[in-house]
Amino acid sequence: MKTNQTEIIGDLYNLLLNPATRDWERSLLRAAKLGIDNGANFDDQIAKLEAEFRPLALRNNLTPDVTDFYLKITDDPMAGSSFDLAIHYAKDGPHQARAIFAGGCFWCMVEPFETQPGIISVISGYTGGHMDNPTYEQVLGGYTGHVEAVEIIFDTRVWNYKKLVELYWQLTDPTDAFGQMADRGSSYRPVIFVANEEQRQIAEQSKQDLATSGKYKHPIVTAIEPASTFWPAENFHQQFYQKNPKRYKKLKRSRGQFLSFQRIQNKIWQRVGRKKE
């Protein structure tokens, strides 16, 4: 066990108090902490806890914060340190601006933006709902009204908002109001959240241009809504494509195949429409 015992015990305590921890996870964590508090061997208790969590961890069925804890106690190099959210809470610099997009699962919305020159930060989170500090479980359950989204902080000398919106259209299905690809439900609906009137005008015009382009057989239904509080997601979700490269590649491939097939269908539809004319 490379990790400091005091740090692990602190993590146990925090997870017991964490409202997102499931009851059965909490019961295992409580048993481990009680054992340590009562003088049981620390390494034995943590090894037992790891073995109990392992079957669910292998199937990605632990809650995000417990997943981070599991990675830590197994010395997984993907555990890393907590994602630095300082830039999210800081005031934007003289050449910085923000854009917020929802386009299905946020795991697949980070890498396409973050790997572009001039993108300063991409943060996964929740927005558009009616509850403060929502958890992944609450948002996924549809209890809070939030959608999964990404907050993009960009260098205005390299990017402008219009270019970001154009990239966003390439990553999503703008004809699906009830989710994206295999991700179904209100928390996955596509939304462009605008911070001011300038962003709204750009987004509305871009949406109109897409609708009149004839690229899609069905109406463009992506919503354009005022930006509200953006709540950063749990550490596990940040930069998912780096922490879970194999799983991310499968998700990215599946998403890409769907969008490619959709574009082929739309091209065929366009050609058929022209012939009928």
Side-chain angles (χ1 to χ4, degrees), residues 3-24:
T3 308
N4 183 290
Q5 289 190 18
T6 302
E7 182 180 343
I8 290 292
I9 292 172
D11 290 339
L12 285 171
Y13 181 75
N14 290 331
L15 287 170
L16 288 171
L17 297 178
N18 190 331
T21 302
R22 296 190 186 116
D23 289 341
W24 65 268

Side-chain angles (χ1 to χ4, degrees), residues 211-229:
T212 58
S213 68
K215 291 181 179 179
Y216 291 91
K217 179 179 180 180
H218 302 291
I220 306 301
V221 295
T222 298
I224 297 174
E225 300 178 4
S228 57
T229 302

Side-chain angles (χ1 to χ4, degrees), residues 194 196-205 224-226:
V194 294
N196 50 50
E197 185 57 29
E198 180 184 7
Q199 286 192 357
R200 174 178 290 283
Q201 290 180 8
I202 292 171
E204 293 282 7
Q205 184 61 57
I224 297 174
E225 300 178 4

Side-chain angles (χ1 to χ4, degrees), residues 32-276:
K33 186 173 186 301
L34 285 174
I36 294 169
D37 290 346
N38 290 330
N41 181 273
F42 174 84
D43 288 338
D44 289 347
Q45 290 298 305
I46 296 302
K48 179 182 177 182
L49 182 61
E50 185 275 327
E52 291 171 325
F53 278 149
R54 190 185 309 148
L56 279 301
L58 293 175
R59 297 200 296 271
N60 296 293
N61 282 337
L62 296 174
T63 50
D65 288 334
V66 175
T67 297
D68 280 334
F69 175 76
Y70 178 82
L71 294 175
K72 179 182 289 186
I73 64 176
T74 55
D75 295 323
D76 191 302
M78 291 296 103
S81 57
S82 294
F83 185 76
D84 186 4
L85 293 170
I87 194 168
H88 165 73
Y89 295 107
K91 184 178 179 181
D92 289 338
H95 300 291
Q96 292 181 7
R98 304 188 187 209
I100 299 177
F101 300 126
C105 178
F106 46 27
W107 290 348
C108 292
M109 289 291 290
V110 175
E111 184 256 354
F113 288 104
E114 189 170 70
T115 53
Q116 299 288 334
I119 299 298
I120 299 167
S121 178
V122 182
I123 300 167
S124 297
Y126 318 111
T127 193
H130 50 74
M131 178 186 292
D132 291 349
N133 296 301
T135 67
Y136 179 70
E137 293 281 294
Q138 292 169 332
V139 174
L140 189 64
Y143 311 130
T144 70
H146 291 86
V147 294
E148 293 189 13
V150 289
E151 177 187 67
I152 302 162
I153 302 175
F154 60 99
D155 188 330
T156 56
R157 294 168 296 185
V158 181
W159 285 86
N160 58 49
Y161 187 71
K162 184 176 183 292
K163 287 170 59 180
L164 286 174
V165 173
E166 290 171 353
L167 176 54
Y168 168 78
W169 293 129
Q170 298 174 36
L171 305 175
T172 63
D173 176 6
T175 67
D176 187 352
F178 303 103
Q180 289 288 285
M181 297 69 178
D183 302 314
R184 313 312 302 163
S186 61
S187 62
Y188 296 121
R189 64 191 181 92
V191 186
I192 298 175
F193 291 95
V194 294
N196 50 50
E197 185 57 29
E198 180 184 7
Q199 286 192 357
R200 174 178 290 283
Q201 290 180 8
I202 292 171
E204 293 282 7
Q205 184 61 57
S206 184
K207 179 179 177 179
Q208 181 61 35
D209 292 343
L210 189 65
T212 58
S213 68
K215 291 181 179 179
Y216 291 91
K217 179 179 180 180
H218 302 291
I220 306 301
V221 295
T222 298
I224 297 174
E225 300 178 4
S228 57
T229 302
F230 182 91
W231 303 97
E234 297 86 341
N235 183 63
F236 171 75
H237 298 297
Q238 305 299 339
Q239 295 181 315
F240 183 87
Y241 74 99
Q242 293 183 4
K243 296 177 181 177
N244 299 270
K246 291 183 179 179
R247 189 176 179 191
Y248 172 71
K249 285 180 181 178
K250 291 180 180 179
L251 294 170
K252 182 180 180 180
R253 185 183 305 115
S254 176
R255 192 177 177 109
Q257 288 173 341
F258 175 90
L259 292 173
S260 295
F261 180 69
Q262 183 190 54
R263 290 178 185 124
I264 292 171
Q265 283 187 313
N266 289 330
K267 286 181 180 179
I268 293 173
W269 172 76
Q270 282 180 298
R271 290 172 185 170
V272 172
R274 292 194 192 102
K275 287 181 180 180
K276 288 183 179 179

